[in-house]
Amino acid sequence: MTMDYVRTGKVDWTGDNPPIYLKSDPAGDWSTLALFFRINASDLGRGHMILVLEDPYDKGTPDPVRLCVTDNRQLADYLIADFVRKFGLFRPAHAAIDRLTITEGARFLVEADYPRHVTEIAEFGTHRVEMRWSGLQEMFAVAQPPRDSQTKVHEMFSVFQPATSASITLDGRALPGATVERDFFDRRAQSAALAHSESWVRA
């Protein structure tokens, strides 16, 4: 007999998927959006990806960063098409996503002084991108039904850990903006958080 607490849907992927969203003007549009993926299991294997969009809504920044680095190109293409493009803040950024430069063969590493900070790093060629979450707060768990999830076809389970601040750097240059306070599920938190043990289960 199938117990009520066993999900029978297909697990499309499980891993970590922490965001950093930055604004130069707290009352304005987002100036930089970034996502990190550490996929521990999927039909396309394991892998990592960092995606960074500077000026995601094309407000006039000259030569904005449109960056995606990965160690599993097929998995990255899938995540962008079936998830990133459906995430709320990224839906208006399709033109920016269309101009992504996708770089394969990146080397990923992490530096941490937990809970003071966690920094996810990708090195590719002579370049280096860093996503840093600082001042990590108490964790909380979320189980989101398909009707409320970003894709509308998955249950999403995750353990979130908001940060008090965050930054994104490319070759030592800090990308524009700072985190801002916003509604985050049942609380107020800054617009950056770790997302541990995230799993997307197709209903």
Side-chain angles (χ1 to χ4, degrees):
M1 184 177 78
T2 301
M3 299 295 185
D4 289 343
Y5 49 77
V6 174
R7 296 298 195 268
T8 58
K10 183 182 185 302
V11 180
D12 279 344
W13 60 264
T14 186
D16 301 320
N17 180 211
I20 297 176
Y21 304 143
L22 306 178
K23 286 188 176 186
S24 297
D25 175 0
D29 282 329
W30 298 99
S31 57
T32 307
L33 303 178
L35 296 169
F36 174 78
F37 289 85
R38 179 186 292 107
I39 304 302
N40 294 323
S42 78
D43 287 349
L44 297 172
R46 296 165 60 91
H48 303 78
M49 182 175 79
I50 287 179
L51 185 149
V52 180
L53 298 178
E54 182 183 10
D55 189 11
Y57 309 138
D58 292 320
K59 299 298 184 179
T61 299
D63 195 24
V65 173
R66 304 278 186 262
L67 175 69
C68 178
V69 296
T70 186
D71 55 6
N72 183 336
R73 173 61 186 268
Q74 189 177 10
L75 177 60
D77 288 340
Y78 163 68
L79 292 171
I80 292 168
D82 285 30
F83 292 89
V84 176
R85 287 184 180 273
K86 296 177 181 179
F87 290 174
L89 296 183
F90 290 83
R91 291 175 201 149
H94 280 198
I97 295 171
D98 289 341
R99 296 194 296 274
L100 276 172
T101 299
I102 301 179
T103 300
E104 302 175 63
R107 174 175 173 260
F108 290 83
L109 57 154
V110 59
E111 295 177 355
D113 181 11
Y114 182 88
R116 291 183 178 87
H117 78 85
V118 171
T119 305
E120 298 288 354
I121 302 162
E123 296 177 340
F124 51 108
T126 61
H127 303 289
R128 179 181 173 106
V129 61
E130 299 185 7
M131 296 176 64
R132 182 183 180 103
W133 295 261
S134 299
L136 296 166
Q137 301 177 307
E138 185 178 0
M139 293 183 284
F140 68 99
V142 169
Q144 194 172 48
R147 67 177 181 274
D148 296 328
S149 78
Q150 299 291 301
T151 66
K152 305 301 183 188
V153 297
H154 293 87
E155 283 189 279
M156 189 278 292
F157 304 91
S158 191
V159 174
F160 290 106
Q161 189 169 19
T164 56
S165 64
S167 63
I168 307 156
T169 60
L170 176 60
D171 297 334
R173 177 177 78 89
L175 295 184
T179 59
V180 296
E181 189 177 77
R182 62 171 186 157
D183 291 331
F184 191 47
F185 294 99
D186 65 344
R187 65 201 65 201
R188 299 283 291 176
Q190 294 294 307
S191 55
L194 296 183
H196 308 283
S197 306
E198 188 159 300
S199 299
W200 291 76
V201 181
R202 188 172 293 272

